[in-house]
């Protein structure tokens, strides 16, 4: 309510209250005046200002409310309270007895406001806009990734939703199936349902019951696997453990060694014991027995179900081979801008419309280094500041729980020009004006370093990549509605084998950050003094969908 919205009779009533002779201000008028104070915060504020001017009450609202709360709630007889308030607030001998009543009413109202402010943190005219608030970001660090899952049935309140999901510290219950977790230290855990496990940190997990296989990682700190009675520490280890609900454990050491410590004082474990490679032990609270080692009793790797091309196509959101439908003569003029699937329009030279994108076509060449179908051949060359934009049919949403993967081939050609302005990259961007500066950028710097940019973070990693050499870039985009987001990128050289599942080591990785953008644009860019080749661009929801060399367009 603005000052103009204060009822016009308020000013007249206020003046009558302050200036009228004794008894002229009637009970009806006083009731009307009090109702205006209750319904109009601005009227109440104006009245308080008058009181401040005439009585010297502190201008700080919180202090004023606390003072009045002490006055009105002081445990004194009712007959004494009004004079006390009158004595503090009385402006002068001309004021009517109704001023005392009005001051008490105002004080009561202020006490009410004080109590509301203390309880809720705001006043009734300043209610928070619940519909406009965002759920706070969970600032807990990620500690592991669900890298693979096969035939999984999860229990519990917050089960993982998909392979590739980043995980915070949490309790998980795998009722059926097989799952692999890769901790951020590099250690892998393969579990088989039914298993109850808690991710404690990047170096620790607790298994209440179930079957696990731990694959150690040489560069990782010592990893602790806690069971109801014992804790296992890996020493360059691969081991399997079957944990019963009562705490009994069958431990099979396949490689390295395991140090076993008790969780509390135990006569059988007065000191740590070491179980070596090739040994198997049954560990109980009061005894240790030798048992036959049986690697076949454990799933040491998660079994995978081979995907057909139709399944891969369903996981592919966008694809571009840069192969023109008609090859021109000369070939460099062939129209490469309309190839692929999952796009709303051809490649263009501006964010919102404009001319067709500038760039030369090489319709019979490829950067993949492998045999492709005829309609997968083709690549595009951008140079001297060329930029190409294309709009996705299915956006990359950072404001929901999702995993996206992106891949493309890129080669930086030796231009022989100045060392500056020789970068090239692929970016995910948004056409929303308010978020136009947000981007996820992947590519090579002017000095040939692998580059990843997201939010305010720019990561460039050595060693530098080489010019005139093909690199396969793969990025993983972790989007979250209520937790942090994170981006990973790996640049594979031609001599490297592309793994069947996401790698344990990435070339670049951002720290967790928050991004609520909806990316609907893909941009290819070569700087002013640069020449870059781009080929085989894919965006999907699984690792398989962006590393498979088959064309998703060929799927039935």
């Amino acid at each position: 309510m603005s000052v103009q919205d204060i009822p016009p009779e308020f000013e007249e009533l206020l003046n009558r209250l302050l200036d009228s002779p004794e008894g002229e201000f009637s009970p009806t008028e006083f009731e009307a005046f009090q109702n205006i104070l209750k319904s109009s915060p601005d009227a109440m504020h104006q009245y308080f200002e008058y009181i401040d001017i005439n009585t010297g009450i502190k201008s700080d609202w919180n202090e004023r409310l606390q003072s009045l709360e002490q006055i009105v709630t002081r445990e004194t007889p009712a007959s004494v309270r009004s004079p006390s308030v009158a004595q503090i607030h009385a402006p002068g001998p001309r004021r009517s007895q109704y001023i005392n009543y009005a001051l008490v009413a105002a004080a009561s109202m202020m006490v009410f406001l004080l109590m509301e402010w203390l309880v809720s943190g705001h006043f009734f005219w300043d209610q928070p806009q619940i519909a406009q608030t965002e759920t706070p970001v969970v600032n807990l660090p990620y500690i592991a990734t669900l890298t693979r899952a096969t035939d999984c049935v999860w229990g519990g309140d917050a089960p993982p939703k998909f392979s590739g999901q980043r995980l915070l510290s949490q309790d998980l219950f795998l009722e059926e199936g097989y799952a692999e977790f890769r901790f951020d230290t590099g250690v892998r855990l393969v579990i088989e349902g039914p298993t109850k496990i808690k991710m404690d940190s990047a170096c620790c997990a607790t298994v209440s019951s179930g079957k696990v296989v731990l694959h150690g990682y040489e560069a990782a700190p010592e990893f602790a696997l806690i069971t109801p009675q014992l804790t296992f520490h890996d020493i360059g280890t691969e081991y399997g453990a079957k944990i019963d609900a009562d705490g009994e454990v069958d431990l099979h050491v396949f490689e390295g060694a395991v140090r076993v410590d008790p969780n509390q004082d135990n006569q059988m474990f007065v000191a740590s014991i070491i179980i070596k490679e090739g040994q198997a032990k049954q560990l109980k609270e009061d005894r240790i027995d030798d048992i036959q080692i049986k690697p076949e009793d454990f799933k040491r790797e998660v079994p995978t179900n081979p995907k057909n091309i139709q399944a891969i196509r369903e996981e592919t959101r966008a694809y571009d081979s840069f192969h023109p439908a008609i090859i021109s003569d000369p070939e460099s003029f062939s129209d490469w801008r309309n190839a692929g699937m999952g796009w709303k329009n051809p490649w263009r030279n501006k964010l919102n419309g404009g001319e067709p994108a500038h760039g030369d076509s090489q319709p019979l060449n490829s950067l993949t280094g492998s045999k492709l179908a005829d309609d997968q051949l083709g690549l595009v060359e951008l140079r001297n500041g060329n930029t190409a934009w294309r709009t996705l049919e299915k956006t990359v949403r950072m404001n929901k729980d999702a995993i996206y993967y992106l891949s493309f081939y890129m080669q930086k050609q030796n231009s022989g020009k100045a060392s500056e302005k020789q970068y090239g990259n692929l970016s995910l961007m948004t056409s929303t004006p308010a978020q136009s500066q947000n981007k996820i950028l992947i590519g090579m710097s002017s000095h040939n370093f692998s580059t990843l940019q997201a939010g305010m973070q720019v990561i460039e990693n050595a060693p530098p990549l080489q010019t005139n050499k093909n690199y396969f870039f793969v990025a993983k985009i972790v989007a979250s509605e209520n937790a942090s987001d994170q981006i990973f990128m790996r640049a594979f050289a031609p001599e490297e084998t592309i793994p069947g599942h996401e790698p344990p080591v990435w070339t670049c990785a951002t720290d967790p950050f928050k991004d609520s953008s909806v990316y609907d644009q893909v941009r290819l860019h070569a700087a002013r003094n640069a020449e870059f080749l781009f080929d085989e661009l894919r965006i999907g929801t699984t690792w398989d969908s962006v590393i498979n060399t088959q064309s998703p367009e060929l799927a039935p």
Side-chain angles (χ1 to χ4, degrees):
M1 177 179 290
S2 66
V3 175
Q4 290 79 6
D5 293 330
I6 297 176
E9 63 267 29
F10 171 76
E11 195 74 25
E12 179 181 354
L13 289 171
L14 178 60
N15 291 332
R16 284 176 56 77
L17 173 67
L18 299 176
D19 299 326
S20 62
E22 177 107 359
E24 187 175 325
F25 197 70
S26 69
T28 302
E29 290 173 323
F30 175 76
E31 184 178 0
F33 181 75
Q34 187 178 33
N35 288 337
I36 292 174
L37 291 180
K38 291 181 180 180
S39 61
S40 172
D42 289 296
M44 175 73 76
H45 183 73
Q46 186 172 330
Y47 184 61
F48 285 158
E49 286 183 344
Y50 172 81
I51 298 296
D52 287 350
I53 293 171
N54 285 274
T55 63
I57 296 178
K58 297 177 182 179
S59 61
D60 182 79
W61 277 59
N62 293 337
E63 293 184 17
R64 183 191 315 173
L65 290 171
Q66 292 172 3
S67 299
L68 285 172
E69 188 264 347
Q70 293 175 3
I71 294 168
V72 176
T73 60
R74 188 179 297 137
E75 293 184 1
T76 55
S79 60
V80 179
R81 288 180 187 167
S82 294
S84 298
V85 176
Q87 182 179 356
I88 294 176
H89 293 298
R94 293 184 60 213
R95 281 18 174 202
S96 159
Q97 62 178 339
Y98 290 112
I99 294 180
N100 295 338
Y101 300 149
L103 293 175
V104 173
S108 300
M109 178 63 69
M110 295 181 76
V111 171
F112 166 78
L113 295 174
L114 171 66
M115 297 306 295
E116 181 182 28
W117 182 81
L118 291 175
V119 172
S120 64
H122 54 77
F123 299 109
F124 67 85
W125 63 83
D126 190 27
Q127 295 289 341
Q129 300 298 315
I130 298 176
Q132 298 178 358
T133 60
E134 295 183 0
T135 304
V137 176
V138 176
N139 291 320
L140 297 175
Y142 289 117
I143 61 174
T145 300
L146 175 61
T147 50
R148 286 185 288 180
T150 299
D151 301 328
C152 288
V153 177
W154 297 94
D157 297 329
K161 298 179 181 179
F162 34 72
S163 295
Q165 181 175 345
R166 296 283 283 151
L167 301 172
L168 306 168
S169 177
Q170 64 183 112
D171 293 289
L172 298 173
F173 177 32
L174 178 63
E175 296 180 357
E176 299 177 14
Y178 309 92
E180 177 187 288
F181 302 97
R182 187 183 298 278
F183 289 81
D184 286 3
T185 55
V187 172
R188 293 190 296 131
L189 273 184
V190 177
I191 68 173
E192 177 181 348
T195 293
K196 293 182 179 180
I197 185 171
K198 180 182 180 182
M199 308 291 178
D200 296 309
S201 71
C203 299
C204 181
T206 299
V207 179
S208 302
S209 62
K211 293 177 70 173
V212 303
V213 173
L214 182 141
H215 297 265
Y217 184 60
E218 291 183 359
E222 188 176 68
F223 190 92
L225 186 71
I226 302 173
T227 70
Q229 296 179 6
L230 305 169
T231 297
F232 305 127
H233 302 273
D234 74 288
I235 308 173
T237 312
E238 180 191 355
Y239 67 82
K242 177 179 177 295
I243 302 101
D244 292 337
D246 62 2
E248 181 179 311
V249 180
D250 289 350
L251 180 66
H252 301 246
V253 182
F254 308 133
E255 295 180 10
V258 177
R259 188 179 85 248
V260 181
D261 292 312
N263 295 343
Q264 55 189 1
D265 293 338
N266 188 304
Q267 293 181 354
M268 293 299 300
F269 296 92
V270 292
S272 300
I273 65 170
I274 304 296
I275 301 177
K276 299 180 180 179
E277 180 178 327
Q279 295 181 336
K281 304 284 186 179
Q282 187 175 76
L283 307 171
K284 300 181 180 180
E285 185 177 7
D286 57 351
R287 58 186 295 177
I288 302 174
D289 294 327
D290 292 328
I291 57 176
Q292 183 179 355
I293 188 169
K294 294 183 177 180
E296 65 275 9
D297 285 355
F298 297 88
K299 289 290 184 183
R300 298 169 67 176
E301 299 290 349
V302 173
T304 56
N305 299 323
K307 295 181 179 179
N308 56 36
I309 188 63
Q310 177 60 38
I312 292 175
R313 175 168 184 169
E314 292 174 356
E315 297 167 350
T316 303
R317 301 170 71 90
Y319 170 69
D320 199 340
S321 65
F322 302 100
H323 180 79
I326 300 176
I327 300 176
S328 304
D329 187 13
E331 295 175 357
S332 60
F333 296 146
S334 297
D335 187 5
W336 52 272
R337 301 167 187 84
N338 292 279
M341 53 169 279
W343 309 96
K344 285 187 175 181
N345 49 26
W347 292 97
R348 57 201 186 280
N349 68 347
K350 293 182 180 180
L351 170 60
N352 295 308
E355 301 175 355
H358 302 298
D360 289 342
S361 175
Q362 297 185 22
L364 300 180
N365 293 331
S366 171
L367 299 182
T368 64
S370 58
K371 184 174 177 58
L372 300 175
D374 290 342
D375 59 356
Q376 284 184 267
L377 294 172
L379 55 87
V380 62
E381 179 179 350
L382 302 183
R383 65 169 70 90
N384 301 332
N386 287 161
T387 298
W389 297 82
R390 204 170 190 186
T391 304
L392 292 164
E393 286 183 351
K394 297 180 179 180
T395 58
V396 174
R397 303 183 64 91
M398 302 299 291
N399 57 358
K400 60 179 290 187
D401 295 329
I403 299 291
Y404 305 95
Y405 293 87
L406 180 153
S407 72
F408 61 96
Y409 285 86
M410 187 169 73
Q411 180 192 115
K412 182 176 184 179
Q413 298 191 302
N414 190 353
S415 62
K417 297 181 181 179
S419 60
E420 299 300 322
K421 304 293 184 182
Q422 286 201 14
Y423 56 84
N425 48 60
L426 179 148
S427 300
L428 292 179
M429 305 185 75
T430 174
S431 56
T432 304
Q435 298 179 326
S436 59
Q437 299 304 313
N438 292 3
K439 68 177 70 173
I440 297 172
L441 182 149
I442 302 155
M444 293 174 62
S445 71
S446 294
H447 301 288
N448 292 3
F449 292 120
S450 301
T451 303
L452 171 62
Q453 178 179 344
M456 301 299 293
Q457 302 179 59
V458 179
I459 301 103
E460 292 188 354
N461 274 354
L465 308 180
Q466 300 179 31
T467 57
N468 299 315
K469 192 171 183 178
N470 303 338
Y471 288 92
F472 182 54
F473 288 81
V474 186
K476 175 182 178 180
I477 302 168
V478 180
S480 180
E481 181 177 2
N482 297 322
S484 298
D485 308 311
Q486 198 169 15
I487 316 293
F488 302 84
M489 184 269 282
R490 175 72 182 266
F492 291 96
E495 60 270 17
E496 293 184 272
T497 300
I498 310 301
H501 49 84
E502 61 183 69
V505 178
W506 299 87
T507 306
C508 301
T510 69
D511 293 329
F513 65 103
K514 185 59 180 175
D515 183 0
S516 298
S517 302
V518 177
Y519 294 110
D520 61 341
Q521 302 290 324
V522 176
R523 187 194 72 167
L524 304 177
H525 179 64
R528 182 184 305 168
N529 298 323
E531 297 181 11
F532 278 89
L533 306 179
F534 295 90
D535 195 10
E536 289 291 307
L537 167 60
R538 300 169 191 260
I539 300 175
T541 57
T542 64
W543 177 266
D544 289 333
S545 66
V546 299
I547 65 158
N548 196 289
T549 57
Q550 293 179 284
S551 170
E553 294 183 291
L554 301 180

